[in-house]
Amino acid sequence: MKITVKRRKYIVRYHHHFPYRTATTCFIQNARGQTIGEGFAECSEKDNYCKATGKKVALTKALRNMSPESKEDRAAFWQAIWKEREMISQKKWTV
């Protein structure tokens, strides 16, 4: 997924390790394709695997790893991701 935060372009990618392992990895890359943040979320054996929850936890850890300067920067990143997700879901349902 490509997003823009404060005029900077980023690529957010997810890798789901299912069914062999119930885990999700999130990679945040800059416009040149260099990984600048990475997060990993693993589901407990007692829980049901959920891609949405894995994405959220892995992205949170990737943002922490990337360490945006302030809370406002992290909030802007989340807003850009939610905005992009809305656009993608609208495109899927248009005829």
Side-chain angles (χ1 to χ4, degrees):
M1 158 186 327
K2 294 179 182 180
I3 62 169
T4 303
V5 179
K6 294 189 174 183
R7 298 184 190 166
R8 291 186 179 171
K9 297 183 187 234
Y10 297 96
I11 301 167
V12 179
R13 297 180 187 214
Y14 299 98
H15 179 71
H16 301 284
H17 307 273
F18 187 78
Y20 308 108
R21 187 173 183 188
T22 52
T24 302
T25 305
C26 175
F27 301 96
I28 300 174
Q29 300 172 327
N30 60 16
R32 292 176 276 175
Q34 298 169 321
T35 301
I36 56 174
E38 186 176 335
F40 182 77
E42 188 166 18
C43 185
S44 169
E45 291 178 8
K46 297 176 184 177
D47 294 332
N48 291 325
Y49 179 69
C50 176
K51 281 186 179 181
T53 302
K55 284 182 176 183
K56 184 177 178 181
V57 173
L59 178 61
T60 300
K61 291 180 178 183
L63 285 172
R64 192 178 308 140
N65 186 321
M66 191 175 97
S67 66
E69 294 79 30
S70 66
K71 183 177 180 179
E72 291 80 22
D73 291 343
R74 289 191 304 273
F77 212 96
W78 277 106
Q79 287 175 352
I81 286 177
W82 284 111
K83 181 179 175 184
E84 183 64 25
R85 285 188 63 182
E86 283 180 20
M87 291 174 60
I88 289 171
S89 67
Q90 287 175 0
K91 287 179 186 176
K92 286 182 180 176
W93 296 107
T94 57
V95 177

